[in-house]
Amino acid sequence: MEKRRVAILISGRGSNMTALIEAAKAEDFPAGIVLVISNIAGAGGLTKAAESGIETATIESKPFGKDREAFERKLHETLVAHNIELVCLAGFLRLLTPWFVTRWDGRMLNIHPALLPSYRGLHTHERALADGVKIHGATVHFVVPEMDSGPIIMQGAVAVLDGDTPETLAARVLGVEHRIYPDALRLVAGGGTRIENGQCKTEASGSPDDTLISPAII
Ligand code: GAR
């Protein structure tokens, strides 16, 4: 099976990156992680990727200052030089301009720690707790120029508990992130998604037990 060549872009510890790398080790996984790029020197994820035998690169965004496109041109050139077919943003904390995003249209995925379109942007867990929502979660979506928008590929939800803090909620959501990001990449890389009227349709089906009620009355 010919595997899609994937690059992961990170800025930090890279736990989603690690989940993708682990999943991609399966023989039947339709994508191979061939490159990890960080825009922050010394990001924790770089060491982990290197330990897995994956090529890493650091392209620091800071020296480019406000010249976002110059940074992105370098990023783009590096991806093209490695024959990358799909890009996964995994805790990549740098806004990308339309120049870059349109070049990777339909070929770039992001994971966001909220059930989009709720809680775009930062501090998603704090804001969900402040609103008192009972269900929260994470979303994998295709990247479009508007931040945290774009066709939704997959979402996973967790119950919000009365005693939750941003930290406990973040940890529970992160567990879901590590499940849905590999599954979403499997779908996309395997050709199991298509865009119709700006929405992502998939060949996956709902599970028979797909109701989450929170809080549950026992
Ligand atoms: C993850 O929770 C991811 O959803 C979030 O940053 C974290 C990175 O963790 N991304 C965003 O907030 C993007 N807007 P990781 O480096 O351990 O994968």
Side-chain angles (χ1 to χ4, degrees):
M1 183 191 38
E2 183 137 7
K3 294 181 180 239
R4 302 269 75 79
R5 291 174 64 81
V6 173
I8 304 178
L9 271 49
I10 62 166
S11 301
R13 66 188 166 180
S15 73
N16 277 291
M17 173 207 76
T18 302
L20 292 170
I21 290 172
E22 288 304 313
K25 286 180 179 167
E27 214 169 297
D28 71 343
F29 200 85
I33 314 301
V34 296
L35 180 65
V36 170
I37 302 177
S38 172
N39 69 320
I40 306 285
L46 287 170
T47 318
K48 284 190 231 163
E51 280 167 8
S52 298
I54 292 168
E55 187 176 341
T56 62
T58 300
I59 304 175
E60 281 190 277
S61 43
K62 213 169 172 189
F64 291 95
K66 289 205 167 80
D67 193 353
R68 289 181 180 273
E69 275 193 28
F71 163 71
E72 292 175 357
R73 269 196 299 278
K74 193 157 177 203
L75 196 56
H76 183 69
E77 280 163 16
T78 306
L79 295 169
V80 170
H82 285 79
N83 297 317
I84 297 301
E85 300 172 275
L86 290 170
V87 174
C88 288
L89 307 182
F92 183 70
L93 302 178
R94 172 93 182 175
L95 274 181
L96 295 164
T97 70
W99 182 89
F100 185 86
V101 172
T102 49
R103 268 159 189 76
W104 292 92
D105 185 37
R107 301 186 294 151
M108 182 156 58
L109 287 63
N110 180 45
I111 187 148
H112 182 73
L115 290 172
L116 292 172
S118 293
Y119 308 119
R120 294 184 167 115
L122 297 173
H123 310 299
T124 56
H125 309 306
E126 286 85 344
R127 288 156 59 208
L129 287 174
D131 284 343
V133 298
K134 304 304 182 205
I135 292 175
H136 185 48
T139 303
V140 181
H141 63 95
F142 285 110
V143 178
V144 297
E146 308 87 76
M147 189 186 67
D148 299 331
S149 303
I152 292 170
I153 303 163
M154 193 175 284
Q155 296 185 300
V158 299
V160 180
L161 308 177
D162 281 351
D164 266 329
T165 63
E167 292 72 31
T168 60
L169 185 54
R172 206 169 320 111
V173 171
L174 194 63
V176 169
E177 294 184 41
H178 296 165
R179 289 174 60 188
I180 64 172
Y181 213 172
D183 283 355
L185 179 59
R186 179 186 278 276
L187 261 182
V188 172
T193 56
R194 62 185 190 283
I195 305 294
E196 274 176 28
N197 301 323
Q199 293 189 1
C200 177
K201 306 290 183 188
T202 76
E203 64 182 21
S205 52
S207 70
D209 180 23
D210 56 6
T211 305
L212 171 61
I213 295 173
S214 167
I217 311 288
I218 305 170

